[in-house]
Amino acid sequence: MSADVDNPEVTSEEAKEFLLPQKPKGESGWKIFSKGIILENPVLILMLGLCPVLATSTTARDAAGMSAAVLFVLLMSNIVVSLFRKIIPNEVRIPVFIVIIATFVTIADYTMQAYQPGLYKVLGIFVPLIVVNCIVLGRAEGFAYHNGVWPSILDALGKAIGFALAIVIMGSIREILSKGTWFTLKIAPEAFQKNAVLFFGLPPGAFLVIGLLKAGINKIFKREG
Amino acid sequence: MSQGLLAILFGAIFVNNILLMRFLGLCPFFGVSTRFSTAIGMSSAVLFVMTFATWITWGIYQLVLVPGSVLLGGILPQGLVFLRTVSFILVIAALVQLVEMFLKKTVPVLYSALGIYLPLITTNCAILGVAFLVIDNKFGFLQGTIFAIGTAFGFGLVMILFAALRERLELAPISKSFRGYPIAFIAAALVSIAFLGFTNMFGISP
C-alpha cells in the first residue's frame, strides 16, 4: 500500500527522499524548517500534490483557504504520528496513518463547511481529498514516524509553508490576470478589469501558469525536468 | 438529479474531463503518460478499480452511513455521514488489495498486464474523487456506474492522447529549462483548450 515509494510515477531522487523513511540526520531545527520552503519546495521543485494546486488556485483567496486546510492537516497528523510512533506497529503503519490523516481531514472539512460555506463551495471535494495528498502521507511515513514531536512540527510547518507559497503565487497570478484583483482588492486599472484575460481563470490557464513557473524555476536553479 | 444517462456519460468523458477540467489524478497523468503501453495499462487499471470502488462506496454510503439507512437506521437515526472520508479511503485501499489478490489467483494474464499499476491506484485521487462526486451529485446506482465508466474512459482518452504527444516531445529540440515537466504542462494546457470546446455539449457546463 505504500504506493508512493516504489512508484514509477515518482521519478526524481529528491522526490523519493521526500517520501521514503529517513533516519534522523541530526539537522538543526532551522534547517528542517527552512528546507521545505524553497530548496525542497514540495510543489514547485518536487512536483508532488499537484491536483489541489491546479484546481484550487483560481483566486488568491481560494488558494489561501486550501493552504490553511493543508497546514492544519499536515501539522496535526505529523504531531500525532510522531507522538505515537513507538506504539504504531510497523506492519500496519500505513492504514494507521491514513486513519489519523482522515480524522483531521474530516475535522477541517466540517469546520470549513460551518464557518466558511462560500469558500467550501468553491474548494468542493478538494478538502476531503487532502486525505490522499502525497505530501501529507509522505511526511507521516518519511519524517514523523522516525522523529520526535518538535522536529516533526518544524518539518510540517516548513512543508506546509512551501505548499502555501506555491499555491498562493499561482492563485495571485491567475486572479490578477483573469480578474484584475488580488485577494478581491481591485489593483488593476478599470480598463484592464473590463478586458481581463479570462483564459487564466479557466483550467487551461492553470496548466500554462504552472508550466511557465516551473520553467522559470528550472532556469533560476539551473535544473532540468 | 435526473440527468439522462447519455448526458452523464458524455459529460464525464468530454465536458468535465477528469484530468483536464477537474484536475483529479494528475500524478499518473504526468508520471506514467510517457509511453503508449504504460498509458493503456494504467487506464485499464483505473477503469477496473473505479467501477468497483464506485459500487462499493455507493453501497456503503446508502446502506450504512446515510441517515435512516437500512442497516443502521434503527440504531443511529442521525446516520454516520461524518465517517465518509475515512471509510471510503479504507474501503478503496482494501478493495485494491483484494482485486490484486483475486486477479493473481484467477486471471494471471490480466494480473501481469495491470499488476504494477494496481497498488498505485490506492493513492490516486481520481478514484476517491469519483466516489465523492457520485454522492455529492446524488446519483443512483445506474447513474453512478455510468458516471464512473465515463470518467475512466475520459481518463484513458487523455492519457493515450498525451502519451502519443509526449513520445514526440522527447525527440523535439526543447530548450533546457523547458524539458520534462514544463513542456508537459504547456502541452496539457493546449489539449485542455481543445477540450474547452466541448463546453455546453448536451447543455452541460463545467
Side-chain angles (χ1 to χ4, degrees):
Chain A
M1 262 181 65
S2 57
D4 293 330
V5 176
D6 38 29
N7 174 333
E9 291 166 14
V10 177
T11 42
S12 77
E13 283 305 310
E14 293 153 299
K16 276 185 189 143
E17 196 182 313
F18 186 93
L19 300 167
L20 276 170
Q22 299 294 313
K23 288 268 153 348
K25 288 181 193 156
E27 286 171 325
S28 68
W30 170 249
K31 188 148 185 243
I32 292 173
F33 170 73
S34 63
K35 256 198 322 198
I37 299 177
I38 306 227
L39 287 178
E40 287 183 15
N41 187 300
V43 179
L44 291 175
I45 304 282
L46 303 178
M47 296 275 128
L48 295 170
L50 289 174
C51 301
V53 174
L54 292 171
T56 60
S57 61
T58 319
T59 66
R61 186 170 165 270
D62 301 348
M66 190 67 201
S67 319
V70 169
L71 171 71
F72 170 75
V73 174
L74 185 54
L75 184 62
M76 296 310 287
S77 76
N78 253 18
I79 291 175
V80 172
V81 168
S82 64
L83 274 177
F84 291 102
R85 68 185 190 280
K86 300 220 167 88
I87 312 170
I88 301 172
N90 199 36
E91 297 78 27
V92 292
R93 62 184 196 286
I94 307 269
V96 173
F97 297 161
I98 290 181
V99 174
I100 293 171
I101 294 168
T103 308
F104 291 113
V105 167
T106 308
I107 295 173
D109 192 29
Y110 277 77
T111 312
M112 197 175 267
Q113 213 168 341
Y115 294 102
Q116 295 284 335
L119 188 63
Y120 183 79
K121 219 171 172 186
V122 182
L123 300 183
I125 58 167
F126 284 93
V127 181
L129 280 180
I130 296 174
V131 74
V132 281
N133 190 314
C134 44
I135 299 175
V136 182
L137 189 60
R139 288 332 277 170
E141 160 88 352
F143 195 89
Y145 193 56
H146 301 276
N147 289 278
V149 180
W150 178 238
S152 299
I153 292 176
L154 291 176
D155 179 73
L157 286 176
K159 266 44 177 192
I161 292 172
F163 177 86
L165 188 70
I167 189 170
V168 172
I169 289 177
M170 283 272 296
S172 307
I173 295 176
R174 290 181 65 195
E175 186 181 348
I176 291 170
L177 290 175
S178 69
K179 292 188 174 148
T181 59
W182 189 56
F183 282 100
T184 62
L185 276 170
K186 291 189 170 69
I187 55 161
E190 195 81 351
F192 179 80
Q193 282 183 24
K194 275 185 190 144
N195 302 298
V197 199
L198 283 177
F199 170 77
F200 286 99
L202 297 170
F207 282 119
L208 186 68
V209 170
I210 197 167
L212 295 176
L213 258 181
K214 179 70 180 152
I217 283 167
N218 283 351
K219 186 91 190 157
I220 295 165
F221 290 94
K222 299 204 166 41
R223 296 168 52 95
E224 235 183 89
Chain B
M1 200 178 271
S2 58
Q3 275 178 28
L5 294 180
L6 206 64
I8 293 179
L9 181 69
F10 284 99
I13 300 178
F14 297 112
V15 185
N16 283 318
N17 185 283
I18 189 147
L19 289 169
L20 297 174
M21 294 294 150
R22 283 203 205 274
F23 300 118
L24 288 171
L26 291 176
C27 303
F29 179 46
F30 287 109
V32 189
S33 71
T34 43
R35 287 268 168 282
F36 194 67
S37 54
T38 50
I40 295 208
M42 188 72 195
S43 313
S44 1
V46 164
L47 175 64
F48 208 73
V49 175
M50 197 173 267
T51 317
F52 269 107
T54 308
W55 285 342
I56 306 259
T57 52
W58 187 88
I60 288 184
Y61 191 80
Q62 303 296 346
L63 296 177
V64 183
L65 300 183
V66 90
S69 62
V70 183
L71 292 178
L72 289 176
I75 320 162
L76 291 164
Q78 300 93 341
L80 293 166
V81 182
F82 61 90
L83 287 180
R84 188 178 79 159
T85 309
V86 64
S87 60
F88 279 19
I89 181 72
L90 287 178
V91 163
I92 289 171
L95 176 80
V96 172
Q97 303 250 300
L98 264 178
V99 167
E100 203 181 346
M101 285 191 278
F102 179 77
L103 286 184
K104 206 173 185 176
K105 278 273 179 206
T106 54
V107 206
V109 185
L110 197 59
Y111 177 77
S112 61
L114 304 184
I116 54 164
Y117 305 106
L118 281 173
L120 306 184
I121 286 181
T122 312
T123 48
N124 184 338
C125 52
I127 307 288
L128 190 61
V130 167
F132 286 148
L133 284 172
V134 167
I135 304 295
D136 287 349
N137 289 339
K138 300 190 172 60
F139 283 151
F141 185 77
L142 187 61
Q143 289 172 318
T145 312
I146 298 285
F147 181 72
I149 293 175
T151 307
F153 271 106
F155 181 89
L157 174 72
V158 175
M159 283 287 277
I160 290 162
L161 265 178
F162 215 68
L165 262 173
R166 282 183 82 173
E167 279 184 359
R168 300 211 169 187
L169 277 179
E170 265 175 34
L171 303 172
I174 301 161
S175 93
K176 216 173 162 188
S177 37
F178 272 91
R179 256 175 237 162
Y181 272 108
I183 196 73
F185 281 126
I186 289 164
L190 296 174
V191 182
S192 181
I193 293 173
F195 270 71
L196 269 188
F198 291 118
T199 306
N200 285 330
M201 192 172 78
F202 300 104
I204 315 163
S205 48

